[in-house]
């Protein structure tokens, strides 16, 4: 029967909700006590001053208990608490604790926030300085740590004198760390730290710093962070320091950044020493992950370290309660919300005392709701928010308005059970002013348990009975009635309690199956929850059968039995088992069949079945735990876990270590029954399995509690940390009512087909490092939260790819070949290993002298290039070469050193074949040959083919020109022989001619064109020049004859001009190659050589017929050409030596 709503009542309740006009003198604190730290035997005053309508009484509480005043502790006239001497005993602090003052006047009472009184203390050193041995020029670090209240000031001494820290090389951090950069011999000594507070002073043990002389060899070292930042949790407005010391050669540069890519606050941040980050006056926005990065200048060699800063904040209100005026029997609602880190715990106080929920007064998500207001509810209410950083309170007053003309309470209330879920409630009208009643309000709640929710139904004034039909079976309920009239409500009627009838169970028990031997199954089950039991269980019914048979055997057991052993079964067989329960009303529905495989008969040494326990953590997560059988002596290599939803396909196995005793199964559906089985295994066989079923609870939804599910986490951020891990961070939704929040993180590779391989991880933090991932693999992530049996939707999916693996090995087959006097070619092969990504190669090379000094020269090549040229090498040196591969993750190891000998110039000229030394790991069978990859060989072959084609074209051109010269040369020689038939030959002796001919035979290749008289023949242009002998070839000496005197009668004589290039004879081949750059080619020289058959008789013009062509003699009227080669050497006239 649905409750009937009266429109008049709705209007009446609206009038009751209007605020009243009653006023009161507000009670508040002008001063509240504050946290204080004092030394023993010191006096202390805790302030407390309240304002409001007098008289005001001040009472002090310590840890929630009233302070007993005496001569040493008493309250001053202004309300403050005075302690003349703070006392403490060994192991006990008498006066230390949380103090609050309570102010009371006639309107109510208010409580101050908590003030913590602590004694000044100092513990012994938790970390003492340790001896350090440092090389000259390196970094030395000492550390000490001590707990003190208030925090101690740390200073340092060397050789028991104060250490001067004004030097740039020395940095003393307030955290107790001493850093000495560029260590020198004078820094050696004994160091100790001194901790000082207002009440104590302690000195640590001494630690010696030994300085080792620096080595002249400065080898290249990758950067390394020897002291990285540590996670820090601090309070608001404090100062924090992240330490970061890095070493390397060359000296690395330290820089800082945030993982979330937000800028670092430059106003409150500065760097101490050579890389320590100090943040002053920290605020909540400073929280995050900070990354220290050490980088070798000018390179991509770097390393990082990170730490998390968490800034805690005391509570602060975002919503305050407001004072209300309400009539009797009305409803008052106070709202209050606060935020802080960690999330504050919310509670409510009434006149300084904590409120507990009951039938009328409820607290929902930090809201206070008071139903059926009575005069005693008139009071001052305070909302208190409290966390580890402090507490705050906000106040509001509830004023109850009483009406004198109100009806009396309904009378003769009685209840009658109708069924397992319905009770009939009846009553009589009020005895006083019953004619003014406009509506009745029926209130009911469960009688058993605490914090039960009260329900209310409003009905009209035309009836005095009502059936409540949404009750739980076999439960006790309490009822009362309230009558309403326009001016107010009546008092509550007498309470009555009634019990609903039993019903059949809604759910079967959860069963567990294990085997103790190959022929039995131990069946155990848990009691049915009262919510589903619906009465007292009087009997259980077990049904079982072989999976291959249809015959079912049934056993009935008492309702007090929770296990049964089935014996005489077949080994190595699958049995199906189910169970049902009954109350006095009847049998409930049986569970679905649960399968169990009995062990093999030969499995006498197999591991026994573990003791399995399942517990739902929330509506989507099950916690699985187990214990090994203590009497089992079989070896266990690990565990296999399987699970499935009832009626669905089984997931698994999930392989677990032998040391694992718990596992969490996430990503399940709510309100589903799951079957879980677990077995141990070893190298021989699988052990006995344990089977158990469990049901996930329902996620509390809007329909269940009229409470919206929480929003999903926001700003999910992923960043690859290594090749196998990804760091995830997300934001907590903006609500503060929940105290405990858990998150489920879902992770799987993109495109995964097998849903059983999806990884679900649990955490209570807003960040997580997911490890064990595959390199260079794209993953998808989502996160959801769980709070108070509520689960949020999954957050938007974020995709991220793991980094590739850093090269595990060095480049292979490193070879170095000298291709020129000062240039070498280095080649290599990529490192081995599947899936290794190379983005860059680093080549280090140095001569032996430079290597001893630690001075390497560095070359970088892209990851697709596997060769490099080393230029400007010095002759006479042996060079050492090594190569490393790197990518964005890091740098791999260097290869073995390869030696390359660069010979001196004299040796290089005499030895045409370059000397090459290969790496030790090269194949000795191929050590005499330079190894080229396929691309390089293809390029070389193409170049050679192009060069051969060009040479062939040049040869064809030269042959064509040579034929043209041969056809024109005989004609020129014939004309010259007729013109010079009457010329005489020089009186040169036959011996001289013979000698010249011998020289000609020896220098035949250097023979130049001949002269006849003073004429010169150009074999290419067929032009004649007079008065000069033109014997020209590039790179040779040229002889020029003198002109005859003008008076002398021209007497042309033949002359032999034999030119030998004695200066460049060794380079005759080179001269031939460039001979055509002048006027004659090498081929024309061969045509113009003198005949080897010249006799000792005077030479006639006919003698030249078979030798060099002679220019025709000019006539007397012809002007000799003025073009002639420049005279290089003058010959005397004929007849002179």
């Amino acid at each position: 029967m649905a409750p009937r709503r009266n429109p008049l009542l709705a209007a009446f309740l609206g009038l009751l909700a209007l605020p009243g006009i009653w006023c009161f003198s507000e009670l508040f604190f002008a001063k509240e006590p504050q946290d204080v730290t004092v030394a023993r035997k010191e006096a202390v005053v805790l302030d407390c001053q309240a304002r409001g309508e007098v008289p005001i009484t001040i009472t002090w509480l310590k840890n929630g208990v009233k302070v007993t005043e005496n001569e040493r502790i008493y309250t001053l006239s202004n309300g403050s608490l005075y302690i003349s001497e703070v006392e403490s005993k060994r192991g006990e602090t008498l006066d230390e604790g949380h103090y609050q003052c309570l102010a009371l006047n006639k309107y109510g009472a208010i409580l101050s926030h908590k003030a913590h009184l602590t004694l000044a203390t100092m513990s012994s050193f938790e970390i003492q300085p340790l001896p350090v041995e440092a090389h000259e020029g390196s970094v030395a670090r000492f550390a000490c740590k001590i707990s003190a209240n208030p925090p101690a000031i740390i200073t340092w001494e060397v050789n028991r004198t104060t250490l001067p820290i004004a030097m740039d090389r020395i940095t003393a951090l307030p955290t107790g760390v001493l850093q000495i950069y560029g260590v020198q011999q004078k820094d050696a000594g004994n160091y100790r730290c001194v901790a000082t507070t207002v009440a104590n002073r302690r000195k640590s043990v001494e630690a010696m710093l030994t300085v080792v002389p620096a080595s002249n060899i400065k080898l290249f070292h990758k950067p390394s962070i020897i002291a990285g930042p540590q996670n820090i949790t601090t309070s608001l407005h404090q100062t924090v320091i992240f330490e970061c010391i890095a070493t390397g050669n060359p000296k690395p540069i330290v820089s800082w950044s945030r993982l979330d890519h937000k800028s670092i606050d430059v106003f409150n941040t500065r760097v101490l020493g050579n890389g320590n980050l100090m943040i002053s006056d920290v605020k909540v926005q400073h929280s995050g992950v900070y990354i220290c990065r050490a980088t070798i200048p000018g390179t991509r060699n770097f390393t990082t370290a990170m730490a998390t800063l968490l800034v805690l904040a005391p509570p602060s209100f975002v919503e305050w309660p407001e004072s209300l005026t309400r009539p009797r029997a009305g409803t008052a609602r106070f709202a209050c919300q606060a935020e802080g880190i960690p999330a504050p715990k919310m509670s409510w106080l009434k006149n300084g005392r904590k409120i507990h929920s009951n039938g009328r007064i409820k607290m929902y998500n930090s809201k206070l709701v008071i139903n059926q207001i009575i005069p005693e509810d008139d009071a001052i209410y305070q909302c208190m928010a409290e966390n580890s950083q402090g507490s705050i309170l906000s106040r509001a007053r509830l004023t109850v308005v009483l009406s004198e003309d109100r009806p009396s309470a309904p009378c003769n209330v009685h209840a009658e059970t109708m069924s397992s879920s319905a009770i009939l409630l009846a009553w009589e009208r009020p005895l006083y002013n019953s004619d003014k009643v406009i509506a009745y309000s029926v209130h009911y709640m469960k009688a058993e348990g605490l914090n039960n929710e009260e329900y209310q139904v409003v009905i009209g004034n035309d009836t005095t009975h009502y059936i409540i039909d949404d009750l739980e079976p076999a439960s006790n309920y309490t009822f009362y009635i309230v009558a309403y009239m326009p001016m107010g409500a009546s008092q509550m009627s007498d309470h009555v309690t009634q019990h609903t009838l039993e019903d059949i169970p809604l759910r079967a028990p959860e069963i567990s199956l294990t085997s103790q031997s190959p022929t039995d199954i131990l069946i155990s089950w848990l009691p049915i929850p009262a919510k589903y039991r619906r009465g007292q269980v009087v009997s259980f019914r077990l049904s079982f059968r072989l999976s291959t048979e249809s015959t079912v055997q049934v056993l009935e057991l008492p309702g007090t039995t929770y296990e049964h052993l089935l014996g005489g079964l077949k080994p190595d067989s699958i049995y199906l088992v189910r169970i049902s329960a009954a109350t006095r009303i009847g049998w409930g529905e049986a569970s679905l069949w649960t399968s169990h495989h009995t062990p093999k008969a030969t499995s006498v040494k197999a591991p026994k079945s573990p003791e399995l326990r399942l517990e739902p953590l929330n509506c989507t997560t099950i916690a699985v735990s187990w214990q090994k059988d203590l009497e089992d002596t079989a070896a266990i290599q690990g565990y296999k876990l399987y699970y499935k939803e009832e009626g669905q396909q089984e997931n698994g196995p999930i392989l677990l270590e032998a040391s694992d005793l718990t596992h969490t199964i996430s990503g399940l559906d709510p309100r589903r029954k799951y079957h879980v089985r677990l077995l141990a295994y070893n190298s021989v066989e699988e052990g006995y399995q344990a089977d158990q079923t469990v049901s996930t609870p329902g996620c509390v939804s809007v329909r269940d509690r009229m409470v919206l599910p929480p929003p999903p986490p926001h700003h999910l951020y992923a960043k690859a940390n290594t090749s196998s891990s990804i760091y995830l961070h997300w934001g907590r939704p903006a609500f503060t009512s929940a105290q405990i929040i858990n998150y489920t993180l879902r992770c799987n590779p993109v495109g995964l087909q097998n849903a059983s391989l999806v990884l679900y991880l649990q955490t209570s933090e807003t960040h997580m490092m997911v490890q064990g991932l595959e390199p260079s693999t794209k993953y998808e992530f989502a996160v959801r939260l769980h709070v108070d049996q509520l689960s949020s939707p999954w957050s938007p999916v974020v995709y991220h790819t793991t980094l590739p693996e850093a090269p595990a090995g060095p480049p292979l087959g490193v070879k170095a070949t000298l291709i020129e006097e000062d240039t070498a070619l280095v080649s290599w092969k990529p490192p081995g290993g599947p899936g290794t990504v190379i983005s860059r190669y680093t080549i280090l090379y140095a001569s032996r002298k430079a290597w001893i000094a630690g001075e390497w020269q560095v070359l970088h090549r892209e990851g697709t290039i596997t060769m490099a040229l080393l230029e400007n090498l010095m002759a006479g040196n042996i060079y050492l070469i090594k190569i490393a591969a790197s990518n964005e993750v890091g740098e791999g190891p260097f290869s073995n050193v390869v030696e390359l000998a660069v010979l001196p110039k004299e040796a290089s000229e005499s030895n045409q074949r370059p000397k090459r030394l290969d790496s030790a790991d090269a194949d000795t069978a191929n050590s005499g040959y330079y190894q080229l990859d396929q691309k390089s060989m293809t390029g070389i072959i193409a170049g050679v083919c192009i060069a051969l084609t060009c040479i062939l074209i040049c040869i064809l051109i030269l042959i064509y020109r040579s034929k043209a010269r041969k056809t024109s040369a005989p004609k020129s020689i014939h004309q010259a022989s007729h013109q010079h038939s009457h010329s005489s030959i020089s009186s040169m002796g036959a011996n001289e001619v013979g000698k010249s001919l011998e020289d000609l035979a020896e220098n035949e290749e250097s023979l130049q064109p001949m002269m006849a008289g003073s004429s010169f023949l150009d074999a290419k242009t067929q032009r004649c020049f007079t008065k000069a002998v033109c014997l020209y070839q590039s790179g040779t000496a040229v002889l020029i004859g003198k002109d005859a005197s003008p008076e002398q009668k021209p007497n042309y004589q033949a002359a032999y001009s034999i030119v030998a290039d004695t200066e460049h004879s060794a380079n005759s081949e080179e001269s031939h190659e460039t001979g055509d750059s002048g006027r004659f080619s090498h081929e024309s020289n061969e045509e113009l050589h003198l005949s080897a058959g010249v006799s000792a008789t005077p030479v006639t013009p006919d003698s030249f017929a078979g030798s060099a062509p002679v220019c025709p003699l000019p006539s007397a009227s012809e002007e000799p050409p003025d073009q002639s080669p420049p005279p290089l050497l003058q010959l005397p006239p004929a007849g002179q030596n």
Side-chain angles (χ1 to χ4, degrees), residues 227-545:
Q230 302 296 318
N231 294 339
I232 297 177
T233 300
T234 187
S235 301
L236 215 59
H237 308 300
Q238 300 297 313
T239 297
V240 298
I241 296 176
F242 285 120
E243 183 182 10
C244 190
I245 302 178
T247 61
N249 188 30
K251 183 180 179 181
I253 297 174
V254 176
S255 60
W256 287 89
S257 62
R258 287 177 59 121
L259 185 62
D260 55 9
H261 304 295
K262 293 181 180 178
S263 60
I264 295 180
D265 183 6
V266 296
F267 297 102
N268 295 327
T269 304
R270 68 187 183 97
V271 176
L272 296 179
N274 287 11
N276 308 292
L277 183 68
M278 184 177 77
I279 307 175
S280 305
D281 189 22
V282 294
K283 300 177 178 60
V284 174
Q285 56 265 31
H286 288 132
S287 294
V289 179
Y290 290 78
I291 303 174
C292 167
R293 174 174 174 144
T295 307
I296 296 294
T299 71
R300 296 177 61 185
N301 288 306
F302 68 89
T303 185
T304 60
M306 62 180 64
T308 301
L309 172 61
L310 176 61
V311 180
L312 304 180
S316 61
F317 285 114
V318 295
E319 185 178 5
W320 296 262
E322 297 180 355
S323 296
L324 300 174
T325 300
R326 292 291 182 265
R328 182 172 183 170
T331 300
R333 291 179 175 87
F334 294 102
C336 180
Q337 287 193 18
E339 62 183 9
I341 302 176
K345 179 182 178 181
M346 308 295 294
S347 59
W348 286 89
L349 307 176
K350 175 185 176 182
N351 289 335
R353 297 181 178 274
K354 189 174 254 188
I355 298 176
H356 298 283
S357 294
N358 55 39
R360 284 191 318 107
I361 301 175
K362 294 292 183 183
M363 286 177 283
Y364 301 102
N365 298 332
S366 76
K367 293 183 174 66
L368 176 65
V369 180
I370 305 175
N371 295 308
Q372 291 300 309
I373 294 174
I374 60 177
E376 290 76 12
D377 295 330
D378 192 317
I380 298 176
Y381 293 84
Q382 286 180 284
C383 170
M384 182 169 69
E386 184 178 15
N387 67 6
S388 61
Q389 301 302 297
S391 64
I392 55 172
L393 295 99
S394 181
R395 66 194 176 278
R397 185 182 173 191
L398 173 61
T399 303
V400 180
V401 179
L402 301 178
S403 173
E404 297 182 359
D405 190 17
R406 57 177 181 158
S408 58
C411 55
N412 294 329
V413 179
H414 60 278
E416 181 180 347
T417 301
M418 305 292 293
S419 68
S420 62
S421 60
I423 291 178
L424 172 63
L425 191 66
W427 62 92
E428 294 180 3
R429 293 180 179 274
L431 298 177
Y432 177 70
N433 285 339
S434 62
D435 56 332
K436 297 180 180 181
V437 173
I438 61 174
Y440 293 100
S441 176
V442 177
H443 301 257
Y444 63 97
M445 61 183 295
K446 270 192 173 183
E448 293 92 359
L450 298 175
N451 296 327
N452 293 318
E453 188 169 356
E454 184 177 279
Y455 301 92
Q456 179 181 1
V457 178
V458 177
I459 59 177
N461 63 352
D462 57 346
T463 183
T464 58
H465 64 272
Y466 184 75
I467 296 177
I468 299 99
D469 57 0
D470 58 351
L471 307 178
E472 295 182 6
S475 300
N476 288 318
Y477 283 86
T478 300
F479 304 87
Y480 67 90
I481 313 293
V482 174
Y484 284 92
M485 60 177 293
M487 296 304 295
S490 70
Q491 295 183 355
M492 294 181 292
S493 69
D494 295 333
H495 289 64
V496 296
T497 301
Q498 188 66 19
H499 189 79
T500 54
L501 298 177
E502 292 185 351
D503 207 337
I504 61 173
L506 276 179
R507 180 182 294 178
E510 309 286 358
I511 64 173
S512 175
L513 306 177
T514 59
S515 289
Q516 298 177 348
S517 72
T519 59
D520 64 36
I521 297 178
L522 177 63
I523 306 174
S524 58
W525 57 92
L526 297 174
I528 303 175
K531 180 179 180 180
Y532 306 104
R533 188 167 60 239
R534 305 210 293 185
Q536 182 180 357
V537 176
V538 296
S539 183
F540 293 103
R541 179 181 292 166
L542 288 176
S543 304
F544 66 96
R545 65 180 176 88

Side-chain angles (χ1 to χ4, degrees), residues 980 1011-1016 1027-1029 1041 1051-1055 1110-1111 1113:
H980 296 281
M1011 286 300 302
S1014 60
S1015 298
F1016 178 83
K1027 300 182 183 181
V1029 178
N1051 183 18
Y1052 298 100
Q1053 297 177 344
V1110 180
C1111 292
L1113 296 174

Side-chain angles (χ1 to χ4, degrees), residues 196-252:
T196 307
T197 65
V198 293
N200 298 285
R201 178 182 173 90
R202 291 185 187 274
K203 298 180 180 179
S204 71
V205 298
E206 292 186 337
M208 177 175 289
L209 171 60
T210 305
V211 181
V212 180
S215 173
N216 293 329
I217 302 176
K218 295 182 178 179
L219 301 178
F220 175 83
H221 287 295
K222 292 192 294 185
S224 174
I225 295 178
I226 61 174
Q230 302 296 318
N231 294 339
I232 297 177
T233 300
T234 187
S235 301
L236 215 59
H237 308 300
Q238 300 297 313
T239 297
V240 298
I241 296 176
F242 285 120
E243 183 182 10
C244 190
I245 302 178
T247 61
N249 188 30
K251 183 180 179 181

Side-chain angles (χ1 to χ4, degrees), residues 223 346 449 515 542 636 680 722 830 961 975 1068 1078:
M346 308 295 294
S515 289
L542 288 176
I636 295 178
T722 65
R961 289 184 179 180
Q975 292 175 357
S1068 60

Side-chain angles (χ1 to χ4, degrees), residues 1014-1034:
S1014 60
S1015 298
F1016 178 83
L1017 173 64
D1018 188 335
K1020 290 187 177 180
T1021 62
Q1022 299 295 321
R1023 294 177 60 185
C1024 294
F1025 301 93
T1026 62
K1027 300 182 183 181
V1029 178
C1030 181
L1031 303 173
Y1032 173 74
Q1033 182 179 1
S1034 175

Side-chain angles (χ1 to χ4, degrees), residues 26 50 104 265 320 367 391 401 425 505 511 557 598 608 614 618 724 793 800 861 883 886 891 989 1118:
E26 186 177 9
L104 174 68
D265 183 6
W320 296 262
K367 293 183 174 66
S391 64
V401 179
L425 191 66
I511 64 173
L557 303 171
T598 55
K608 301 297 183 182
L614 304 179
N618 50 56
S724 62
H800 205 74
R861 292 293 180 267
I883 305 175
S886 62
E891 191 172 59
E1118 291 181 1

